[in-house]
Amino acid sequence: MHKLLSGLAVLAVLGANAAMAQDAGSASKGKFYLGAQAGIVLPEDVSFSGTSSSGGITTTAAGTYQFKDGYSVSGLAGYHLNDYVRGEAELGYSRFEYDNISLNGNVTSNGTTTAVNGSASMEGTVSSAIGMVHGIVSPLGKTKVSPLLGAGIGFAATEEKITRIGTLATNFESTHTDLAVAGMVGAETNLTDQMSMGLRYRYMWIDSGTEGRDDFTAHNFVANAAWKF
């Protein structure tokens, strides 16, 4: 899935650049816009697995992290290349919390293996600053309600904190910056010649996986408003 999203993002951005070059000599009035959007983030579970040995004890485990739904806010700046294609830059912030951890594993000591299975509640947060460049297409051009398709590529600078697993207090913190890719569908309507409002759905993929841990993916539903200049 992430390879497909990466390809769509690159094609969308390249198409936006080509259209911008073709349109460079035309008047720009009403083509620039600034906007803001806010919505909810629905994180998908992240799976992990691994083996470790210490002091004659070997642990082999696999499981999943589950998250609570969170929120996202961002600012937008864009340029309508023509009635069908636009380029857009976004800088935003998202935050959500850990919910549970499910674990299935084995612990081997002195030749005896014991199964460990179950789940526990988790307390902690995941927050990200996200910057992306989008290429967006309006297949029907200017209509009363305009559907749109798009893809974007950028980065996610993420901070993770885990403060409790079950009854065990922890002090885990991690920061990392990773490639982010998104695919988008939505619709918008012009309220006036200068203002529009819309709804968007995005599927987000972040290349945050490490050995034994999957990449992060999420669904993002937002409402936005934009002002043209």
Side-chain angles (χ1 to χ4, degrees), residues 91-136:
L91 184 61
Y93 174 82
S94 69
R95 186 181 186 277
F96 51 89
E97 298 180 357
Y98 281 93
D99 190 13
N100 288 284
I101 182 172
S102 298
L103 182 66
N104 296 298
N106 297 297
V107 178
T108 301
S109 178
N110 297 322
T112 301
T113 299
T114 303
V116 178
N117 301 294
S119 62
S121 61
M122 292 185 69
E123 295 180 9
T125 59
V126 180
S127 56
S128 295
I130 299 175
M132 302 194 78
V133 177
H134 303 283
I136 301 175

Side-chain angles (χ1 to χ4, degrees), residues 12-228:
V13 174
L14 288 177
N17 288 338
M20 181 178 291
Q22 183 179 12
D23 194 57
S26 63
S28 61
K29 182 176 176 58
K31 293 188 175 183
F32 289 99
Y33 64 91
L34 296 176
Q37 63 184 19
I40 60 173
V41 177
L42 282 62
E44 295 188 322
D45 296 348
V46 174
S47 299
F48 63 88
S49 61
T51 300
S52 65
S53 296
S54 178
I57 298 174
T58 299
T59 303
T60 301
T64 57
Y65 297 110
Q66 294 98 38
F67 306 92
K68 298 178 181 179
D69 297 341
Y71 67 88
S72 68
V73 293
S74 57
L76 309 172
Y79 182 79
H80 287 271
L81 310 171
N82 51 49
D83 289 346
Y84 300 91
V85 181
R86 79 185 79 165
E88 184 178 275
E90 173 188 2
L91 184 61
Y93 174 82
S94 69
R95 186 181 186 277
F96 51 89
E97 298 180 357
Y98 281 93
D99 190 13
N100 288 284
I101 182 172
S102 298
L103 182 66
N104 296 298
N106 297 297
V107 178
T108 301
S109 178
N110 297 322
T112 301
T113 299
T114 303
V116 178
N117 301 294
S119 62
S121 61
M122 292 185 69
E123 295 180 9
T125 59
V126 180
S127 56
S128 295
I130 299 175
M132 302 194 78
V133 177
H134 303 283
I136 301 175
V137 177
S138 300
L140 303 182
K142 286 186 177 180
T143 57
K144 185 174 183 180
V145 177
S146 301
L148 58 87
L149 301 170
I153 188 167
F155 71 89
T158 302
E159 180 181 59
E160 298 181 66
K161 294 182 179 180
I162 300 175
T163 57
R164 185 173 297 276
I165 301 176
T167 59
L168 177 66
T170 65
N171 189 28
F172 172 82
E173 292 189 19
S174 174
T175 58
H176 45 92
T177 301
D178 308 291
L179 173 69
V181 178
M184 176 197 311
V185 296
E188 64 184 11
T189 182
N190 290 318
L191 301 180
T192 68
D193 290 340
Q194 286 76 41
M195 182 179 181
S196 65
M197 296 188 70
L199 298 172
R200 297 180 180 183
Y201 160 76
R202 297 191 296 181
Y203 182 78
M204 302 284 296
W205 168 76
I206 297 176
D207 186 23
S208 58
T210 58
E211 185 177 353
R213 176 171 171 163
D214 288 348
D215 297 327
F216 174 77
T217 55
H219 307 276
N220 184 206
F221 297 87
V222 297
N224 61 44
W227 292 264
K228 302 175 185 179

